[in-house]
Amino acid sequence: MDVEKLLVIAVIAGLCLGPARLAAHTRQLTAFLRQLRGWADTTKAQIEEQTGVDIDWSELDPRRYDPRRIIRDALTQPQTPHEPAVESTALTTPQDRPTLESE
């Protein structure tokens, strides 16, 4: 989210809830997010312990698939020269096959 969007949400929440209730709801939301993060860390540790495999969780991050990021990464990567196409060396007809000179 952009800073502008967060600011608009905060202003609307402040107007609807009032300053006293806004602070209480903010504390509740913060506590819930901390608890949620703790559950996620515990679950990750259990999965890695039970499977015995070190999992790279960054590969499963859905933010990797943001179209804006994909385009930005594609445009900022240095271009590599294309390799020339490899021609087929297979001989297709009997006339193309080499003959033995000892015959």
Side-chain angles (χ1 to χ4, degrees), residues 52-91:
V53 177
D54 245 356
I55 300 173
D56 184 12
W57 295 100
S58 63
E59 290 182 11
L60 303 174
D61 188 6
R63 291 175 287 190
R64 290 182 47 209
Y65 304 108
D66 179 25
R68 293 173 291 189
R69 181 177 177 171
I70 293 170
I71 292 171
R72 182 183 63 237
D73 290 347
L75 293 175
T76 58
Q77 289 178 350
Q79 292 192 3
T80 58
H82 295 290
E83 295 182 17
V86 177
E87 293 184 24
S88 175
T89 58
L91 302 174

mmCIF file of all heavy atoms in Angstrom, residues 52-91:
data_model
loop_
_atom_site.group_PDB
_atom_site.id
_atom_site.type_symbol
_atom_site.label_atom_id
_atom_site.label_comp_id
_atom_site.label_asym_id
_atom_site.label_seq_id
_atom_site.Cartn_x
_atom_site.Cartn_y
_atom_site.Cartn_z
ATOM 1 N N GLY A 52 12.084 -32.306 7.805
ATOM 2 C CA GLY A 52 13.536 -32.426 7.785
ATOM 3 C C GLY A 52 14.170 -31.707 6.614
ATOM 4 O O GLY A 52 15.322 -31.936 6.277
ATOM 5 N N VAL A 53 13.422 -30.815 5.988
ATOM 6 C CA VAL A 53 13.913 -30.086 4.825
ATOM 7 C C VAL A 53 13.933 -28.602 5.164
ATOM 8 O O VAL A 53 12.978 -28.079 5.734
ATOM 9 C CB VAL A 53 12.994 -30.329 3.603
ATOM 10 C CG1 VAL A 53 13.439 -29.516 2.412
ATOM 11 C CG2 VAL A 53 12.940 -31.800 3.262
ATOM 12 N N ASP A 54 15.013 -27.925 4.796
ATOM 13 C CA ASP A 54 15.060 -26.476 4.949
ATOM 14 C C ASP A 54 14.304 -25.845 3.791
ATOM 15 O O ASP A 54 14.692 -25.999 2.634
ATOM 16 C CB ASP A 54 16.508 -25.987 4.935
ATOM 17 C CG ASP A 54 16.924 -25.386 6.243
ATOM 18 O OD1 ASP A 54 16.076 -25.280 7.140
ATOM 19 O OD2 ASP A 54 18.107 -25.016 6.370
ATOM 20 N N ILE A 55 13.231 -25.175 4.079
ATOM 21 C CA ILE A 55 12.384 -24.598 3.036
ATOM 22 C C ILE A 55 12.742 -23.136 2.862
ATOM 23 O O ILE A 55 12.852 -22.394 3.826
ATOM 24 C CB ILE A 55 10.893 -24.749 3.401
ATOM 25 C CG1 ILE A 55 10.539 -26.220 3.540
ATOM 26 C CG2 ILE A 55 10.015 -24.076 2.362
ATOM 27 C CD1 ILE A 55 9.154 -26.475 4.066
ATOM 28 N N ASP A 56 12.902 -22.713 1.592
ATOM 29 C CA ASP A 56 13.145 -21.304 1.297
ATOM 30 C C ASP A 56 11.779 -20.628 1.152
ATOM 31 O O ASP A 56 11.140 -20.706 0.110
ATOM 32 C CB ASP A 56 13.961 -21.159 0.012
ATOM 33 C CG ASP A 56 14.316 -19.717 -0.280
ATOM 34 O OD1 ASP A 56 14.141 -18.861 0.615
ATOM 35 O OD2 ASP A 56 14.772 -19.447 -1.402
ATOM 36 N N TRP A 57 11.337 -19.991 2.228
ATOM 37 C CA TRP A 57 9.994 -19.412 2.260
ATOM 38 C C TRP A 57 9.872 -18.203 1.341
ATOM 39 O O TRP A 57 8.764 -17.824 0.970
ATOM 40 C CB TRP A 57 9.618 -19.049 3.685
ATOM 41 C CG TRP A 57 9.513 -20.261 4.553
ATOM 42 C CD1 TRP A 57 10.451 -20.714 5.430
ATOM 43 C CD2 TRP A 57 8.435 -21.197 4.605
ATOM 44 N NE1 TRP A 57 10.020 -21.881 6.029
ATOM 45 C CE2 TRP A 57 8.775 -22.190 5.536
ATOM 46 C CE3 TRP A 57 7.212 -21.292 3.950
ATOM 47 C CZ2 TRP A 57 7.951 -23.257 5.841
ATOM 48 C CZ3 TRP A 57 6.382 -22.348 4.246
ATOM 49 C CH2 TRP A 57 6.751 -23.323 5.173
ATOM 50 N N SER A 58 10.983 -17.602 0.946
ATOM 51 C CA SER A 58 10.899 -16.435 0.066
ATOM 52 C C SER A 58 10.379 -16.828 -1.320
ATOM 53 O O SER A 58 9.813 -16.001 -2.036
ATOM 54 C CB SER A 58 12.258 -15.760 -0.064
ATOM 55 O OG SER A 58 13.187 -16.623 -0.671
ATOM 56 N N GLU A 59 10.568 -18.095 -1.707
ATOM 57 C CA GLU A 59 10.046 -18.551 -2.997
ATOM 58 C C GLU A 59 8.525 -18.614 -3.001
ATOM 59 O O GLU A 59 7.899 -18.595 -4.059
ATOM 60 C CB GLU A 59 10.611 -19.925 -3.337
ATOM 61 C CG GLU A 59 12.082 -19.920 -3.664
ATOM 62 C CD GLU A 59 12.576 -21.296 -4.039
ATOM 63 O OE1 GLU A 59 11.745 -22.195 -4.252
ATOM 64 O OE2 GLU A 59 13.799 -21.457 -4.122
ATOM 65 N N LEU A 60 7.915 -18.714 -1.833
ATOM 66 C CA LEU A 60 6.462 -18.828 -1.733
ATOM 67 C C LEU A 60 5.792 -17.496 -1.447
ATOM 68 O O LEU A 60 4.583 -17.445 -1.229
ATOM 69 C CB LEU A 60 6.104 -19.824 -0.628
ATOM 70 C CG LEU A 60 6.697 -21.225 -0.815
ATOM 71 C CD1 LEU A 60 6.393 -22.079 0.398
ATOM 72 C CD2 LEU A 60 6.160 -21.865 -2.074
ATOM 73 N N ASP A 61 6.555 -16.407 -1.465
ATOM 74 C CA ASP A 61 6.021 -15.084 -1.170
ATOM 75 C C ASP A 61 5.160 -14.603 -2.342
ATOM 76 O O ASP A 61 5.649 -14.462 -3.454
ATOM 77 C CB ASP A 61 7.165 -14.111 -0.921
ATOM 78 C CG ASP A 61 6.693 -12.765 -0.424
ATOM 79 O OD1 ASP A 61 5.482 -12.615 -0.163
ATOM 80 O OD2 ASP A 61 7.547 -11.868 -0.284
ATOM 81 N N PRO A 62 3.876 -14.356 -2.112
ATOM 82 C CA PRO A 62 3.007 -13.938 -3.225
ATOM 83 C C PRO A 62 3.362 -12.568 -3.777
ATOM 84 O O PRO A 62 2.983 -12.242 -4.896
ATOM 85 C CB PRO A 62 1.602 -13.930 -2.610
ATOM 86 C CG PRO A 62 1.812 -13.839 -1.152
ATOM 87 C CD PRO A 62 3.142 -14.485 -0.864
ATOM 88 N N ARG A 63 4.113 -11.766 -3.036
ATOM 89 C CA ARG A 63 4.500 -10.450 -3.546
ATOM 90 C C ARG A 63 5.462 -10.564 -4.714
ATOM 91 O O ARG A 63 5.624 -9.613 -5.473
ATOM 92 C CB ARG A 63 5.129 -9.618 -2.430
ATOM 93 C CG ARG A 63 4.119 -9.216 -1.376
ATOM 94 C CD ARG A 63 4.795 -8.509 -0.252
ATOM 95 N NE ARG A 63 5.546 -9.519 0.508
ATOM 96 C CZ ARG A 63 6.104 -9.309 1.670
ATOM 97 N NH1 ARG A 63 6.020 -8.126 2.224
ATOM 98 N NH2 ARG A 63 6.757 -10.257 2.294
ATOM 99 N N ARG A 64 6.071 -11.732 -4.888
ATOM 100 C CA ARG A 64 6.969 -11.939 -6.022
ATOM 101 C C ARG A 64 6.218 -11.879 -7.344
ATOM 102 O O ARG A 64 6.815 -11.651 -8.388
ATOM 103 C CB ARG A 64 7.654 -13.305 -5.921
ATOM 104 C CG ARG A 64 8.645 -13.412 -4.819
ATOM 105 C CD ARG A 64 9.300 -14.761 -4.803
ATOM 106 N NE ARG A 64 9.729 -15.145 -6.146
ATOM 107 C CZ ARG A 64 9.817 -16.386 -6.567
ATOM 108 N NH1 ARG A 64 9.515 -17.377 -5.771
ATOM 109 N NH2 ARG A 64 10.214 -16.666 -7.775
ATOM 110 N N TYR A 65 4.938 -12.125 -7.322
ATOM 111 C CA TYR A 65 4.164 -12.230 -8.556
ATOM 112 C C TYR A 65 3.393 -10.963 -8.877
ATOM 113 O O TYR A 65 2.455 -10.994 -9.657
ATOM 114 C CB TYR A 65 3.218 -13.433 -8.464
ATOM 115 C CG TYR A 65 3.985 -14.688 -8.183
ATOM 116 C CD1 TYR A 65 3.926 -15.304 -6.944
ATOM 117 C CD2 TYR A 65 4.821 -15.243 -9.142
ATOM 118 C CE1 TYR A 65 4.660 -16.455 -6.676
ATOM 119 C CE2 TYR A 65 5.555 -16.381 -8.885
ATOM 120 C CZ TYR A 65 5.463 -16.982 -7.651
ATOM 121 O OH TYR A 65 6.191 -18.100 -7.393
ATOM 122 N N ASP A 66 3.793 -9.836 -8.302
ATOM 123 C CA ASP A 66 3.180 -8.556 -8.602
ATOM 124 C C ASP A 66 3.587 -8.160 -10.023
ATOM 125 O O ASP A 66 4.784 -8.086 -10.325
ATOM 126 C CB ASP A 66 3.652 -7.510 -7.591
ATOM 127 C CG ASP A 66 3.071 -6.134 -7.855
ATOM 128 O OD1 ASP A 66 1.988 -6.061 -8.465
ATOM 129 O OD2 ASP A 66 3.695 -5.140 -7.423
ATOM 130 N N PRO A 67 2.629 -7.927 -10.913
ATOM 131 C CA PRO A 67 2.978 -7.620 -12.307
ATOM 132 C C PRO A 67 3.894 -6.406 -12.435
ATOM 133 O O PRO A 67 4.780 -6.387 -13.282
ATOM 134 C CB PRO A 67 1.635 -7.357 -12.979
ATOM 135 C CG PRO A 67 0.617 -7.958 -12.089
ATOM 136 C CD PRO A 67 1.180 -7.982 -10.717
ATOM 137 N N ARG A 68 3.703 -5.391 -11.592
ATOM 138 C CA ARG A 68 4.567 -4.209 -11.673
ATOM 139 C C ARG A 68 6.009 -4.574 -11.361
ATOM 140 O O ARG A 68 6.938 -4.100 -12.010
ATOM 141 C CB ARG A 68 4.079 -3.133 -10.697
ATOM 142 C CG ARG A 68 2.717 -2.559 -11.094
ATOM 143 C CD ARG A 68 2.214 -1.659 -10.029
ATOM 144 N NE ARG A 68 1.897 -2.506 -8.868
ATOM 145 C CZ ARG A 68 1.280 -2.105 -7.786
ATOM 146 N NH1 ARG A 68 0.905 -0.864 -7.670
ATOM 147 N NH2 ARG A 68 1.019 -2.931 -6.807
ATOM 148 N N ARG A 69 6.202 -5.460 -10.372
ATOM 149 C CA ARG A 69 7.560 -5.867 -10.005
ATOM 150 C C ARG A 69 8.181 -6.719 -11.104
ATOM 151 O O ARG A 69 9.357 -6.580 -11.415
ATOM 152 C CB ARG A 69 7.515 -6.646 -8.690
ATOM 153 C CG ARG A 69 8.873 -7.071 -8.243
ATOM 154 C CD ARG A 69 8.826 -7.775 -6.934
ATOM 155 N NE ARG A 69 10.170 -8.224 -6.593
ATOM 156 C CZ ARG A 69 10.489 -8.722 -5.440
ATOM 157 N NH1 ARG A 69 9.591 -8.834 -4.503
ATOM 158 N NH2 ARG A 69 11.711 -9.106 -5.201
ATOM 159 N N ILE A 70 7.409 -7.601 -11.693
ATOM 160 C CA ILE A 70 7.927 -8.458 -12.763
ATOM 161 C C ILE A 70 8.405 -7.606 -13.932
ATOM 162 O O ILE A 70 9.496 -7.818 -14.478
ATOM 163 C CB ILE A 70 6.853 -9.474 -13.213
ATOM 164 C CG1 ILE A 70 6.567 -10.464 -12.085
ATOM 165 C CG2 ILE A 70 7.280 -10.184 -14.491
ATOM 166 C CD1 ILE A 70 5.373 -11.350 -12.340
ATOM 167 N N ILE A 71 7.603 -6.610 -14.321
ATOM 168 C CA ILE A 71 7.972 -5.741 -15.440
ATOM 169 C C ILE A 71 9.199 -4.909 -15.082
ATOM 170 O O ILE A 71 10.127 -4.776 -15.879
ATOM 171 C CB ILE A 71 6.783 -4.853 -15.840
ATOM 172 C CG1 ILE A 71 5.684 -5.726 -16.457
ATOM 173 C CG2 ILE A 71 7.221 -3.762 -16.815
ATOM 174 C CD1 ILE A 71 4.393 -5.017 -16.689
ATOM 175 N N ARG A 72 9.229 -4.357 -13.858
ATOM 176 C CA ARG A 72 10.366 -3.545 -13.432
ATOM 177 C C ARG A 72 11.643 -4.384 -13.444
ATOM 178 O O ARG A 72 12.679 -3.935 -13.940
ATOM 179 C CB ARG A 72 10.115 -2.968 -12.047
ATOM 180 C CG ARG A 72 11.238 -2.062 -11.562
ATOM 181 C CD ARG A 72 11.038 -1.547 -10.163
ATOM 182 N NE ARG A 72 11.036 -2.659 -9.220
ATOM 183 C CZ ARG A 72 10.049 -2.935 -8.374
ATOM 184 N NH1 ARG A 72 8.975 -2.182 -8.352
ATOM 185 N NH2 ARG A 72 10.121 -3.952 -7.546
ATOM 186 N N ASP A 73 11.584 -5.605 -12.926
ATOM 187 C CA ASP A 73 12.755 -6.470 -12.911
ATOM 188 C C ASP A 73 13.206 -6.827 -14.322
ATOM 189 O O ASP A 73 14.403 -6.880 -14.607
ATOM 190 C CB ASP A 73 12.482 -7.744 -12.107
ATOM 191 C CG ASP A 73 12.348 -7.479 -10.616
ATOM 192 O OD1 ASP A 73 12.703 -6.363 -10.173
ATOM 193 O OD2 ASP A 73 11.870 -8.380 -9.902
ATOM 194 N N ALA A 74 12.240 -7.062 -15.202
ATOM 195 C CA ALA A 74 12.592 -7.414 -16.581
ATOM 196 C C ALA A 74 13.251 -6.240 -17.295
ATOM 197 O O ALA A 74 14.166 -6.430 -18.103
ATOM 198 C CB ALA A 74 11.345 -7.862 -17.341
ATOM 199 N N LEU A 75 12.799 -5.028 -16.997
ATOM 200 C CA LEU A 75 13.361 -3.860 -17.670
ATOM 201 C C LEU A 75 14.713 -3.445 -17.097
ATOM 202 O O LEU A 75 15.514 -2.834 -17.793
ATOM 203 C CB LEU A 75 12.383 -2.684 -17.582
ATOM 204 C CG LEU A 75 11.087 -2.861 -18.363
ATOM 205 C CD1 LEU A 75 10.153 -1.694 -18.117
ATOM 206 C CD2 LEU A 75 11.363 -3.003 -19.847
ATOM 207 N N THR A 76 14.980 -3.776 -15.857
ATOM 208 C CA THR A 76 16.237 -3.351 -15.234
ATOM 209 C C THR A 76 17.337 -4.388 -15.337
ATOM 210 O O THR A 76 18.479 -4.083 -15.039
ATOM 211 C CB THR A 76 16.028 -3.004 -13.743
ATOM 212 O OG1 THR A 76 15.495 -4.142 -13.066
ATOM 213 C CG2 THR A 76 15.098 -1.822 -13.598
ATOM 214 N N GLN A 77 17.018 -5.607 -15.757
ATOM 215 C CA GLN A 77 18.051 -6.634 -15.903
ATOM 216 C C GLN A 77 18.892 -6.336 -17.134
ATOM 217 O O GLN A 77 18.372 -5.921 -18.164
ATOM 218 C CB GLN A 77 17.430 -8.018 -16.040
ATOM 219 C CG GLN A 77 16.816 -8.531 -14.773
ATOM 220 C CD GLN A 77 16.176 -9.901 -14.996
ATOM 221 O OE1 GLN A 77 16.038 -10.362 -16.118
ATOM 222 N NE2 GLN A 77 15.764 -10.523 -13.913
ATOM 223 N N PRO A 78 20.199 -6.550 -17.049
ATOM 224 C CA PRO A 78 21.031 -6.339 -18.236
ATOM 225 C C PRO A 78 20.703 -7.380 -19.299
ATOM 226 O O PRO A 78 20.440 -8.542 -18.980
ATOM 227 C CB PRO A 78 22.460 -6.512 -17.717
ATOM 228 C CG PRO A 78 22.322 -7.309 -16.461
ATOM 229 C CD PRO A 78 20.962 -6.984 -15.896
ATOM 230 N N GLN A 79 20.696 -6.931 -20.526
ATOM 231 C CA GLN A 79 20.370 -7.853 -21.616
ATOM 232 C C GLN A 79 21.593 -8.683 -21.961
ATOM 233 O O GLN A 79 22.706 -8.187 -22.006
ATOM 234 C CB GLN A 79 19.887 -7.091 -22.832
ATOM 235 C CG GLN A 79 18.558 -6.432 -22.608
ATOM 236 C CD GLN A 79 17.974 -5.933 -23.914
ATOM 237 O OE1 GLN A 79 18.534 -6.130 -24.971
ATOM 238 N NE2 GLN A 79 16.828 -5.296 -23.817
ATOM 239 N N THR A 80 21.357 -9.954 -22.203
ATOM 240 C CA THR A 80 22.430 -10.850 -22.612
ATOM 241 C C THR A 80 22.304 -11.102 -24.108
ATOM 242 O O THR A 80 21.195 -11.210 -24.637
ATOM 243 C CB THR A 80 22.349 -12.189 -21.857
ATOM 244 O OG1 THR A 80 21.071 -12.777 -22.115
ATOM 245 C CG2 THR A 80 22.508 -11.977 -20.367
ATOM 246 N N PRO A 81 23.433 -11.200 -24.800
ATOM 247 C CA PRO A 81 23.346 -11.466 -26.240
ATOM 248 C C PRO A 81 22.806 -12.867 -26.484
ATOM 249 O O PRO A 81 23.081 -13.787 -25.717
ATOM 250 C CB PRO A 81 24.787 -11.333 -26.734
ATOM 251 C CG PRO A 81 25.619 -11.533 -25.513
ATOM 252 C CD PRO A 81 24.797 -11.068 -24.348
ATOM 253 N N HIS A 82 22.022 -12.990 -27.529
ATOM 254 C CA HIS A 82 21.440 -14.288 -27.866
ATOM 255 C C HIS A 82 22.495 -15.166 -28.515
ATOM 256 O O HIS A 82 23.298 -14.712 -29.324
ATOM 257 C CB HIS A 82 20.248 -14.114 -28.814
ATOM 258 C CG HIS A 82 19.113 -13.377 -28.192
ATOM 259 N ND1 HIS A 82 18.345 -13.912 -27.192
ATOM 260 C CD2 HIS A 82 18.628 -12.136 -28.406
ATOM 261 C CE1 HIS A 82 17.434 -13.046 -26.829
ATOM 262 N NE2 HIS A 82 17.577 -11.948 -27.554
ATOM 263 N N GLU A 83 22.482 -16.431 -28.172
ATOM 264 C CA GLU A 83 23.401 -17.382 -28.777
ATOM 265 C C GLU A 83 22.866 -17.769 -30.147
ATOM 266 O O GLU A 83 21.656 -17.864 -30.344
ATOM 267 C CB GLU A 83 23.527 -18.618 -27.898
ATOM 268 C CG GLU A 83 24.165 -18.330 -26.560
ATOM 269 C CD GLU A 83 24.313 -19.597 -25.734
ATOM 270 O OE1 GLU A 83 24.219 -20.704 -26.298
ATOM 271 O OE2 GLU A 83 24.529 -19.467 -24.535
ATOM 272 N N PRO A 84 23.748 -17.984 -31.115
ATOM 273 C CA PRO A 84 23.257 -18.391 -32.437
ATOM 274 C C PRO A 84 22.605 -19.767 -32.369
ATOM 275 O O PRO A 84 22.974 -20.606 -31.550
ATOM 276 C CB PRO A 84 24.518 -18.413 -33.307
ATOM 277 C CG PRO A 84 25.642 -18.531 -32.336
ATOM 278 C CD PRO A 84 25.184 -17.884 -31.052
ATOM 279 N N ALA A 85 21.644 -19.960 -33.211
ATOM 280 C CA ALA A 85 20.942 -21.250 -33.243
ATOM 281 C C ALA A 85 21.894 -22.339 -33.707
ATOM 282 O O ALA A 85 22.702 -22.149 -34.610
ATOM 283 C CB ALA A 85 19.745 -21.168 -34.183
ATOM 284 N N VAL A 86 21.794 -23.477 -33.074
ATOM 285 C CA VAL A 86 22.638 -24.612 -33.434
ATOM 286 C C VAL A 86 21.966 -25.340 -34.582
ATOM 287 O O VAL A 86 20.805 -25.700 -34.508
ATOM 288 C CB VAL A 86 22.817 -25.550 -32.216
ATOM 289 C CG1 VAL A 86 23.641 -26.766 -32.606
ATOM 290 C CG2 VAL A 86 23.428 -24.804 -31.069
ATOM 291 N N GLU A 87 22.746 -25.539 -35.661
ATOM 292 C CA GLU A 87 22.178 -26.228 -36.812
ATOM 293 C C GLU A 87 22.217 -27.726 -36.579
ATOM 294 O O GLU A 87 23.126 -28.252 -35.955
ATOM 295 C CB GLU A 87 22.961 -25.868 -38.070
ATOM 296 C CG GLU A 87 22.796 -24.413 -38.460
ATOM 297 C CD GLU A 87 23.510 -24.109 -39.758
ATOM 298 O OE1 GLU A 87 23.718 -25.040 -40.556
ATOM 299 O OE2 GLU A 87 23.852 -22.955 -39.959
ATOM 300 N N SER A 88 21.242 -28.400 -37.131
ATOM 301 C CA SER A 88 21.160 -29.844 -36.987
ATOM 302 C C SER A 88 22.259 -30.497 -37.815
ATOM 303 O O SER A 88 22.499 -30.131 -38.957
ATOM 304 C CB SER A 88 19.790 -30.326 -37.449
ATOM 305 O OG SER A 88 19.751 -31.716 -37.425
ATOM 306 N N THR A 89 22.927 -31.479 -37.232
ATOM 307 C CA THR A 89 23.981 -32.191 -37.953
ATOM 308 C C THR A 89 23.516 -33.567 -38.408
ATOM 309 O O THR A 89 24.306 -34.353 -38.912
ATOM 310 C CB THR A 89 25.225 -32.356 -37.055
ATOM 311 O OG1 THR A 89 24.836 -33.054 -35.885
ATOM 312 C CG2 THR A 89 25.810 -31.000 -36.699
ATOM 313 N N ALA A 90 22.258 -33.848 -38.218
ATOM 314 C CA ALA A 90 21.745 -35.156 -38.615
ATOM 315 C C ALA A 90 21.691 -35.246 -40.132
ATOM 316 O O ALA A 90 21.324 -34.307 -40.821
ATOM 317 C CB ALA A 90 20.356 -35.372 -38.026
ATOM 318 N N LEU A 91 22.071 -36.389 -40.661
ATOM 319 C CA LEU A 91 22.021 -36.618 -42.100
ATOM 320 C C LEU A 91 20.692 -37.297 -42.418
ATOM 321 O O LEU A 91 20.343 -38.308 -41.834
ATOM 322 C CB LEU A 91 23.190 -37.502 -42.523
ATOM 323 C CG LEU A 91 24.576 -36.926 -42.173
ATOM 324 C CD1 LEU A 91 25.651 -37.937 -42.493
ATOM 325 C CD2 LEU A 91 24.809 -35.633 -42.914
#
